[in-house]
Amino acid sequence: LHEPETATNLVTYSQDFANAVWGVSSGATRTASGVTDPAGGTGAFSIETAGTSGGSLASQGVTVTAGSTVSLTFFLRQGSAPKAYLQLNGGGGAGVLASTVAYDFTTKTLADVQVLAGGGLVGAKATVEQGGPDWARVTLTGGIGASNATASGYVGPTDTDTGRQGTAGEDIIIYQGDLVEGSIPSSPIFTAGSTVTRAADTLTLPV
């Protein structure tokens, strides 16, 4: 994989979803899943919703360049919920911009990116790639707004393509969260207590 850009994972605990830098919303719970993660280890977590409000795991808000484009990425695997969603917010300025996208585990496809109240991310888009046997790697990208300089992300189970609406007890399995500045999804950048920067690749052609 050629990495054309330098990237910094701004999430300081990219696999330790029990760490305090990760919060939960709407009564969601997070537990070590026991499922083998894409790297062959035990780092996968279950995120379970408490009900129709669509509980999720939430990243800490991180400081980014004002008006920048950011990308949020997670590995996803089906639990008992039929779909998962990612949500990316830009804030810290005149108002919050937020977009969300759902991934269907059965059809292995993404729904259309949705705009949340307050306005969506600038030029929001989503991509998916295979993340290993039974895993998908989904990225949501967009501009946070000219006056905003913080970004935060969410991931959780859902039953719908258009919002955070789940059924109590449903869960998804997640692994490795990346939140980077830039419109090109990065390869996974592992962090354990601080941000980590991965250099761009330099291609050398034989003479």
Side-chain angles (χ1 to χ4, degrees), residues 44-68:
F45 266 64
S46 165
I47 308 302
E48 181 179 313
T49 184
T52 57
S53 56
S56 63
L57 184 79
S59 80
Q60 65 185 128
V62 298
T63 300
V64 296
T65 304
S68 62

Side-chain angles (χ1 to χ4, degrees), residues 138-153:
V138 176
T139 298
L140 178 59
T141 298
I144 62 171
S147 64
N148 288 332
T150 62
S152 56

Side-chain angles (χ1 to χ4, degrees), residues 14-112:
S14 64
Q15 295 178 13
D16 184 3
F17 299 116
N19 189 276
V21 303
W22 296 98
V24 290
S25 67
S26 302
T29 56
R30 53 188 167 183
T31 55
S33 68
V35 173
T36 302
D37 65 44
T42 58
F45 266 64
S46 165
I47 308 302
E48 181 179 313
T49 184
T52 57
S53 56
S56 63
L57 184 79
S59 80
Q60 65 185 128
V62 298
T63 300
V64 296
T65 304
S68 62
T69 295
V70 296
S71 295
L72 173 71
T73 306
F74 284 94
F75 286 88
L76 304 174
R77 177 169 169 158
Q78 187 169 15
S80 57
K83 302 177 183 183
Y85 77 90
L86 268 62
Q87 179 179 325
L88 182 57
N89 292 11
V96 174
L97 299 184
S99 294
T100 185
V101 68
Y103 175 74
D104 189 307
F105 290 108
T106 300
T107 63
K108 296 180 170 54
T109 57
L110 293 167
D112 293 335

